[in-house]
Amino acid sequence: MQWLTIYKKECLESARNYRWVWVPLVFILFCIMDPLTTYYLPQILESTGGLPDGATFNIPTPPAPNVFMMSISQINTLGVLVIALITMGTIAGERKSGVAELILVKPVSYSAYVTAKWAAHVSLVLLSVFVGLIASWYYVQLLFGDVSFIHVMSSVAFYVLYIIFVISISLFMNTWTKIPGLVLFLTISVILVLNLITSIFSHLLEWSPTSIVSHLPALLRSGEVGQNLWMAGLITILSIIFLLFGAIQTLKRREIV
Amino acid sequence: MIHLKNLTKMFDKEYAVKNITFDLPPGKCTALLGPNGAGKTTTLKIIAGLMHPTSGQVDLSNGMRGDIRQYIGYLPQHPQFHNWMTGKEFLQYVARLSHIPYPESKKRAERLLERVGIADAKNRKISSYSGGMKQRLGIAQAMIHKPSVLLLDEPVSALDPIGRRDVLNLMEELKQEATLLYSTHILSDAEEASDEILLMHKGSIVESGSLQDVKERHQLDKITLRFEGDMQSYKEKVEAFPFVTHTDIQKKKLHVYVQNVPEARDVLLDLVNKEQWPLLFFEVGQTTLEDLFMKVVKEHAMADHL
């Protein structure tokens, strides 16, 4: 009951801030930008002056799954930044302003406080990522040719695990400092470092949460979930549980004021 | 009730609270007095569980056990709210967090808003509230789950005279329902509203007991005089009498602490008459809580220098 109270309050706060409107819109924008610019590239070149006379430049049309992957990589950069931005103050900000002093002096369970906030942000972000990718799929389908909806859905399902992982890192960082800006910095740094390590040791770290994206093109084309992807998914879920547990334990040991 | 045992809190090798032990007397209103930086807020925050003591502990008794937070209501010195909520929404939210069922939370929020006098603003965003209204809302949220102990950090210091009167009256009512512990540096409020006082200085409790006891223990008779012109010369003459323990000059008034009031009064008035001193003010009285406060703080400040 307490959990639901906090969850509802978080959702209401997002509604009052119009987050339920602008976050999905931003994700739709990120997701359809690449399919549209890729398709209209010849026209865009034309209208900005075109190529010099006599020069011929043949732009091959990329295959449909590759265009869909462009949308995912947009979310991976800009989208992750937006996610870190909207989650950076959820606990840190409340502690900084002093509201947490009033909330956590009531008999509130720390696990309910952390997980309800986590769930509220997961709801908002997943909705946004989902509508964004559906929009991308629609344009890819329209402009580049067929991609199986089932394949798209299973890719989205795995990709979303990575997104939840990002939210969990931010929640975890929220319990370590009272400064929202620092939470943003730490979250982005951790993700950058993870990406770097995963790409350097890619043959060793095929199960890392950040490697999920690299498995997706194969899944989009064939629809088959490879063993490495299954393992990466499992490791991601375990990391999420570990991060949430860590966040709850950290907050318990912290002084609220 | 609540017992503090050898509570110590350090911030970077500085004592904020130094080895304090006391039992909160049940059903009473206790004032935590002391100058700024005495450790009042830290003590309240430790009891509320918002800060962890460096050593020592807070114990419960009388059927209270487990999570202390279910028994206490806490008002911070500068309460902050979710400013996008309305007053009523916020009260309902904290009520629900205190495990009060939805219909009951609605009723209690309405009733409390009425009681603290901000019912008119219940559907307005908290961001539009004035300081006094926030303070009242803060008191309401502390009371929402009918706690048996109320911890109020400077509940009246930030209020205008009308708000102060309202809150002091409210505290008078609350005494019937809960044990109160509140901090203040305004001594007249403490004198008016509390049964017991705890005087803190530099992290330690330097004086405690019922208001009456403490006053009697420290009360001295004093005669206050004021003359035209420089007071210093009069001071020296008055000091010569055997019944005078000591004298001091504050705000152009000469305070003469004496052992035998009738004798002192007669002798002093005689002297004034005989020497034709230009008397402006004469009062026979006793030291107040403020004098005690100043005295204790000064004594300890002296001890620190030695």
Side-chain angles (χ1 to χ4, degrees), chain A residues 141-155:
Chain A
Q141 193 80 358
L142 205 68
L143 305 174
F144 293 91
D146 202 33
V147 190
S148 152
F149 185 67
I150 304 293
H151 295 179
V152 165
M153 279 299 110
S154 37
S155 304

Side-chain angles (χ1 to χ4, degrees), chain A residues 1-2 5-6 9 12-13 16 94 97-99 101-110 252-257, chain B residues 9 45 48 50-52 69-70 74 76 80-82 84-85 89-90 93-94 96-99 125 141-142 144-145:
Chain A
M1 282 326 285
Q2 210 175 44
T5 307
I6 302 173
K9 173 250 155 191
L12 184 68
E13 185 169 10
R16 298 258 167 102
E94 282 192 7
S97 76
V99 193
E101 225 180 331
L102 287 190
I103 303 304
L104 291 175
V105 85
K106 299 281 176 244
V108 177
S109 109
Y110 287 88
K252 264 186 199 166
R253 283 187 182 79
R254 285 261 173 263
E255 293 192 329
I256 302 307
V257 282
Chain B
K9 176 73 184 173
K45 282 185 174 171
L50 292 167
M51 271 187 186
H52 309 311
R69 297 182 298 170
Q70 56 192 307
Y74 171 67
Q80 296 293 330
F81 307 89
H82 290 301
W84 53 271
M85 282 186 173
E89 276 172 343
F90 188 83
Y93 174 52
V94 291
R96 299 284 291 132
L97 290 180
S98 312
H99 305 287
K125 292 257 168 71
Q141 67 77 31
I144 193 99
H145 55 308

